[in-house]
Amino acid sequence: QNADDAGARRLCLLADGRSYAAVKGGLLDERLRVWQGPAVCAFNDAEFSDADFEGICRVGASGKRGDASKIGQYGLGFNATYHLSDVVSFVSRDRLCVFDPHEAHLPGNLPGLQLKLGDEELSRYSTQLAPFEAAAAAFGAEVWPLSGAIFRLPLRTPELAARSQICGESHAFGELVGVLHELLAFAHELLLFLQSVESVEVFVADPAAGGGAGAAPRRLGGASLRTASTAATARLRRERRLFTARQ
């Protein structure tokens, strides 16, 4: 939803069952280590502008509030991520943003922070950034800087769910993989109802399926809009925008 809102053409999803908690240090705060396990990562090829960064960091007071054409208006598109996780983070360009509504895992118990990634930060917070670098490699994206955006939603375990004030529901990695299989089944139909996204790809890195902690991601499948000519592509894009604008 947010990828389409941003005007992205490509969307990739990764069910990453690997853990990035073994390496000592390298985190913004040691309390974040419990969120370095299995996660879903979402990449799109639309870069965040400075205004985008400012808007999403306000979430509850979204800059999209006055624009009904933005399907992520009122921050609902982003707030839906808390169904899976309590600590959501993303990277775009040379910045890392982390959100923690519990104010329990970030330095100074902040509800969120934005960090500009220079050489010093890339070295100092290498463990924090490792999941993003692994996801970028799976999607064929280069870092740093990242052209596009990668969102990471670490799955809420039963232990974390027991003390969550956001949602008491935990999610198993197998459940996530099942949902992505279901998504693939109607991905072609889904693309017809979006304004911008023209291709969807799904990947999985499952240590239980072989390779252990170093399991390489494999592509489960994907869908894309294909036309016979450039003119037909342009016409299809216009029709999709008109259709979604009427909804």
Side-chain angles (χ1 to χ4, degrees):
Q1 183 171 334
N2 288 95
D4 198 56
D5 198 357
R9 293 283 173 82
R10 183 184 180 213
L11 171 65
C12 299
L13 300 171
L14 167 67
D16 192 351
R18 298 166 293 188
S19 174
Y20 300 87
V23 179
K24 292 184 179 180
L27 295 171
L28 291 166
D29 191 297
E30 275 300 312
R31 294 174 294 177
L32 284 167
R33 195 166 296 279
V34 295
W35 296 102
Q36 289 290 102
V40 58
C41 296
F43 165 79
N44 71 75
D45 60 2
E47 277 189 6
F48 267 63
S49 66
D50 290 344
D52 291 331
F53 277 110
E54 182 181 350
I56 202 168
C57 286
R58 291 199 306 266
V59 183
S62 173
K64 301 173 183 177
R65 188 178 298 276
D67 188 350
S69 71
K70 303 290 189 180
I71 63 175
Q73 62 181 326
Y74 308 117
L76 291 177
F78 182 79
N79 283 332
T81 62
Y82 291 112
H83 177 69
L84 294 178
S85 182
D86 290 356
V87 177
V88 177
S89 55
F90 76 93
V91 292
S92 183
R93 294 164 40 191
D94 58 351
R95 301 190 205 178
L96 164 68
C97 292
V98 186
F99 300 95
D100 175 23
H102 281 129
E103 301 181 4
H105 303 91
L106 292 174
N109 293 328
L110 292 169
L113 62 77
Q114 181 182 150
L115 182 68
K116 189 172 178 62
L117 301 172
D119 290 341
E120 181 181 345
E121 289 77 17
L122 291 173
S123 175
R124 184 175 181 181
Y125 302 117
S126 57
T127 303
Q128 193 77 54
L129 297 170
F132 293 104
E133 293 175 347
F139 303 141
E142 293 185 3
V143 292
W144 302 97
L146 172 68
S147 180
I150 296 177
F151 287 80
R152 183 172 186 270
L153 284 62
L155 300 181
R156 191 183 293 111
T157 65
E159 294 76 19
L160 292 169
R163 60 177 188 258
S164 175
Q165 297 178 40
I166 297 174
C167 179
E169 226 178 297
S170 62
H171 299 278
F173 181 69
E175 175 189 346
L176 170 62
V177 175
V179 169
L180 293 183
H181 272 290
E182 292 177 7
L183 173 66
L184 280 175
F186 63 87
H188 283 95
E189 289 82 358
L190 175 66
L191 288 174
L192 295 175
F193 294 92
L194 297 176
Q195 301 178 67
S196 303
V197 174
E198 296 180 357
S199 72
V200 176
E201 295 176 88
V202 175
F203 301 79
V204 62
D206 186 357
R218 60 185 179 88
R219 188 176 183 274
L220 288 183
S224 62
L225 293 178
R226 297 179 180 177
T227 59
S229 66
T230 302
T233 298
R235 183 172 65 253
L236 177 60
R237 288 172 178 168
R238 288 195 301 271
E239 291 172 352
R240 291 169 79 210
R241 285 194 295 269
L242 288 172
F243 177 80
T244 53
R246 295 190 185 107
Q247 302 309 302

